[in-house]
Amino acid sequence: VNGNRTALGCGAGTVTFLSDDLSEPFIPIDLDIMEEAYSLPESFHQDPADRLIVAAARLNSLTVVTGDRKILDYPHVSAVC
């Protein structure tokens, strides 16, 4: 993170975006997201933060932008690197 710029290294390229340009507000972690986080389909690793991120994305029809291979390989969430 450099000022309001964030860079994600993803394989051969790097994705850079300005945090001021993000149009979506923060998503509050509510009971629905917590329940979804611990009832995700198929096997998913036990990292609680990753489970919450995936659950929030699934319930809000969002795509996760990440370099985390476990999230990218999970077939039940839209994710890009």
Side-chain angles (χ1 to χ4, degrees), residues 20 26 48 78:
D20 293 342
F26 289 98
S78 174

PDB file of all heavy atoms in Angstrom, residues 20 26 48 78:
ATOM      1  N   ASP A  20      -9.773   5.352  -3.535  1.00  0.00           N
ATOM      2  CA  ASP A  20     -10.808   6.380  -3.664  1.00  0.00           C
ATOM      3  C   ASP A  20     -11.803   6.047  -4.772  1.00  0.00           C
ATOM      4  O   ASP A  20     -12.906   6.579  -4.795  1.00  0.00           O
ATOM      5  CB  ASP A  20     -10.186   7.742  -3.965  1.00  0.00           C
ATOM      6  CG  ASP A  20      -9.375   8.276  -2.803  1.00  0.00           C
ATOM      7  OD1 ASP A  20      -9.569   7.784  -1.676  1.00  0.00           O
ATOM      8  OD2 ASP A  20      -8.561   9.180  -3.023  1.00  0.00           O
ATOM      9  N   PHE A  26     -18.079  -0.641   2.502  1.00  0.00           N
ATOM     10  CA  PHE A  26     -17.691  -1.823   3.262  1.00  0.00           C
ATOM     11  C   PHE A  26     -18.928  -2.661   3.551  1.00  0.00           C
ATOM     12  O   PHE A  26     -20.023  -2.133   3.726  1.00  0.00           O
ATOM     13  CB  PHE A  26     -17.025  -1.424   4.575  1.00  0.00           C
ATOM     14  CG  PHE A  26     -15.667  -0.830   4.375  1.00  0.00           C
ATOM     15  CD1 PHE A  26     -15.490   0.542   4.371  1.00  0.00           C
ATOM     16  CD2 PHE A  26     -14.565  -1.642   4.173  1.00  0.00           C
ATOM     17  CE1 PHE A  26     -14.239   1.097   4.178  1.00  0.00           C
ATOM     18  CE2 PHE A  26     -13.312  -1.104   3.975  1.00  0.00           C
ATOM     19  CZ  PHE A  26     -13.148   0.265   3.978  1.00  0.00           C
ATOM     20  N   PRO A  48     -10.358 -18.213   9.317  1.00  0.00           N
ATOM     21  CA  PRO A  48     -11.637 -17.517   9.526  1.00  0.00           C
ATOM     22  C   PRO A  48     -11.804 -16.263   8.681  1.00  0.00           C
ATOM     23  O   PRO A  48     -12.902 -15.978   8.208  1.00  0.00           O
ATOM     24  CB  PRO A  48     -11.663 -17.184  11.018  1.00  0.00           C
ATOM     25  CG  PRO A  48     -10.354 -17.562  11.571  1.00  0.00           C
ATOM     26  CD  PRO A  48      -9.577 -18.315  10.544  1.00  0.00           C
ATOM     27  N   SER A  78     -16.644 -16.406  -7.064  1.00  0.00           N
ATOM     28  CA  SER A  78     -16.016 -15.726  -8.178  1.00  0.00           C
ATOM     29  C   SER A  78     -14.774 -15.000  -7.643  1.00  0.00           C
ATOM     30  O   SER A  78     -14.881 -14.206  -6.718  1.00  0.00           O
ATOM     31  CB  SER A  78     -16.996 -14.722  -8.795  1.00  0.00           C
ATOM     32  OG  SER A  78     -16.358 -13.958  -9.780  1.00  0.00           O
TER      33      SER A  78
END
